[in-house]
């Protein structure tokens, strides 16, 4: 355990940040699942609409450096390709 008051405070702050970041990461996973579910439904229009709605969520979380920008970009690209492949 931390010995100084400063170290105790930093430990408290780190725990708060960890929980906040975990919450944002969960939000990202949920956004990805929503789009994947729309794609699995087979309706291209609905999948496109859901993708456009969740795109900003993905970008916002990448801007906060919760995930790397390339990871967010890769996820968006793969979702877009899956939507494009729908009949």
């Amino acid at each position: 355990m931390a010995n100084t008051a400063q170290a105790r405070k930093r430990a408290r702050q780190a725990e708060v940040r960890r929980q906040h970041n975990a919450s944002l990461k969960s939000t990202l996973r949920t956004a990805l699942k929503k789009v994947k579910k729309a794609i699995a439904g087979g309706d291209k229009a609905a999948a496109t609409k859901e993708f456009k709605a969740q795109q900003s969520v993905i970008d916002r979380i990448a801007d906060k450096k919760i995930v790397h920008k390339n990871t967010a970009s890769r996820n968006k690209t793969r979702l877009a390709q899956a939507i494009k492949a729908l009949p």
Side-chain angles (χ1 to χ4, degrees):
M1 186 61 199
N3 289 324
T4 64
Q6 178 184 8
R8 283 191 293 271
K9 180 177 179 179
R10 291 304 298 171
R12 284 195 308 270
Q13 289 176 329
E15 179 60 19
V16 169
R17 292 305 316 162
R18 185 191 69 78
Q19 289 177 353
H20 185 253
N21 290 345
S23 172
L24 290 174
K25 209 169 232 187
S26 175
T27 303
L28 173 68
R29 285 193 296 264
T30 302
L32 294 174
K33 284 179 192 173
K34 284 181 180 178
V35 178
K36 287 177 185 175
K37 185 177 179 184
I39 292 169
D43 184 9
K44 193 170 191 172
T48 303
K49 184 178 178 185
E50 188 64 44
F51 178 64
K52 287 187 185 299
Q54 299 304 328
Q55 213 168 358
S56 64
V57 173
I58 297 168
D59 287 333
R60 194 164 47 244
I61 291 172
D63 286 342
K64 293 178 182 179
K65 297 188 171 76
I66 303 303
V67 294
H68 196 274
K69 62 185 172 74
N70 291 357
T71 303
S73 179
R74 183 176 64 244
N75 285 327
K76 290 192 308 183
T77 299
R78 287 180 180 169
L79 291 172
Q81 284 176 337
I83 291 169
K84 190 175 179 183
L86 288 174

